[in-house]
Amino acid sequence: LAWAEASPRLLAIGARANLIGLIATALQLVGEGLYNYFNLDDLQKWMKSSVWGSETENRSFQDEWNELAKVVQKPTCEMIRNEKKQTYLKLVMPGVSTEEMDSRKLQLQLYERYLDTTHQKIGAGPFPLRWKNCTETWVTRLVIASKGKEALTLHLPISDLLQTKNFAMAFNIAYQLEAERDVMHQTCFEVKDWHITGAPYAPMPTKGVFKVESIDNFPVKTSKSQFILFRKEDLATIDV
């Protein structure tokens, strides 16, 4: 995870410099190949709207830094199904080391999509798909899979019983860009493809690592009050 630990180091250099230093930081990120790990489109959008771009928004230096930090510190998500047929989501938080996670005020908001059969009648259907807030349930299931100065990595185990065509998860992960400043950033993900083939009575889960893309719009209307703060002492850990 060297790439995840390099981006905040370069950002720290840019933050102590000026606007010219900041653009140099962005170019260095690209030059070091880190764009392979975060969304290059996001970086291009930042360049386009920066003071050097063709559609500048005339942001201040601090605001420019904030926007760049959101790109290179953007969490990544993968769905992993290993040889033991265990399925979990892997979240990597570039720019947030494991040892400093509490100072960055990490928060979670999570919704489940389910088939609503509450008013089931004989012969009735099809039943509607609905979303419900399950943050309190899932935040306690997060597992820390990193240590020390390593980029914070979280695992979220997914039960086999949940992995059906109707089940989906949508979640926001929020954190402070810097421990010293109360500037929060959040990234949204939606997982609805569990990579299972075969008939419902004989499912065939596919092993592998599958990238989960972030989404711009949450699929359900939410409020900030639904975020739950979590701390290191609240979570289980695994040996790394």
Side-chain angles (χ1 to χ4, degrees), residues 1 21 40 54 76 81 90 115 131 180 196 202 206 226 228:
L1 296 178
L40 183 57
S54 58
T76 63
R81 186 175 289 116
K90 177 183 177 181
L115 191 66
W131 291 93
E180 297 78 16
I196 297 176
T206 304
Q226 295 169 334
I228 294 181

Side-chain angles (χ1 to χ4, degrees), residues 6-240:
S7 59
R9 171 177 56 81
L10 291 173
L11 276 174
I13 295 173
R16 290 194 297 268
N18 49 28
L19 288 174
I20 295 176
L22 193 60
I23 189 65
T25 299
L27 292 173
Q28 187 175 355
L29 287 169
V30 174
E32 293 197 3
L34 296 180
Y35 59 84
N36 289 323
Y37 299 96
F38 54 73
N39 194 324
L40 183 57
D41 288 340
D42 289 343
L43 183 60
Q44 291 172 332
K45 290 176 183 177
W46 174 79
M47 294 285 287
K48 193 172 184 179
S49 64
S50 71
V51 293
W52 310 274
S54 58
E55 298 180 7
T56 178
E57 296 181 6
N58 296 312
R59 294 186 289 253
S60 66
F61 165 67
Q62 191 59 63
D63 288 341
E64 290 288 6
W65 185 94
N66 290 344
E67 293 304 312
L68 178 59
K70 290 176 183 178
V71 174
V72 299
Q73 293 188 15
K74 187 175 183 178
T76 63
C77 182
E78 295 173 328
M79 193 206 85
I80 298 176
R81 186 175 289 116
N82 59 25
E83 294 297 326
K84 297 179 181 179
K85 296 184 179 180
Q86 297 169 326
T87 303
Y88 60 93
L89 300 182
K90 177 183 177 181
L91 280 164
V92 179
M93 310 288 293
V96 180
S97 69
T98 309
E99 65 184 12
E100 68 166 349
M101 65 172 287
D102 288 350
S103 66
R104 301 294 285 277
K105 299 180 181 179
L106 273 80
Q107 302 172 39
L108 180 71
Q109 177 189 57
L110 189 148
Y111 276 71
E112 288 183 14
R113 189 186 70 184
Y114 68 102
L115 191 66
D116 186 1
T117 59
T118 305
H119 304 292
Q120 184 174 1
K121 296 180 180 178
I122 297 177
F127 302 109
L129 292 172
R130 304 192 190 282
W131 291 93
K132 62 179 178 179
N133 185 355
C134 296
T135 310
E136 288 189 13
T137 300
W138 286 95
V139 73
T140 61
R141 299 178 183 177
L142 288 168
V143 178
I144 300 173
S146 55
K147 60 183 179 181
K149 297 184 181 300
E150 294 175 349
L152 178 62
T153 302
L154 301 171
H155 290 181
L156 186 59
I158 310 296
S159 168
D160 292 344
L161 295 176
L162 291 175
Q163 299 170 45
T164 67
K165 66 177 183 178
N166 295 319
F167 179 75
M169 299 173 65
F171 61 93
N172 278 315
I173 187 81
Y175 60 97
Q176 227 171 249
L177 287 178
E178 284 186 293
E180 297 78 16
R181 293 187 301 118
D182 193 21
V183 179
M184 299 296 293
H185 177 59
Q186 66 184 54
T187 302
C188 309
F189 295 97
E190 182 179 8
V191 189
K192 51 187 176 182
D193 183 357
W194 301 104
H195 298 276
I196 297 176
T197 58
Y201 55 84
M204 300 174 60
T206 304
K207 299 172 187 170
V209 178
F210 308 95
K211 184 176 182 180
V212 179
E213 299 287 352
S214 61
I215 57 175
D216 294 328
N217 299 307
F218 211 61
V220 60
K221 187 176 181 180
T222 65
S223 67
K224 291 183 178 180
S225 62
Q226 295 169 334
F227 278 89
I228 294 181
L229 179 76
F230 60 93
R231 300 175 62 83
K232 190 174 183 179
E233 64 182 16
D234 300 327
L235 308 183
T237 61
I238 58 175
D239 294 332
V240 292

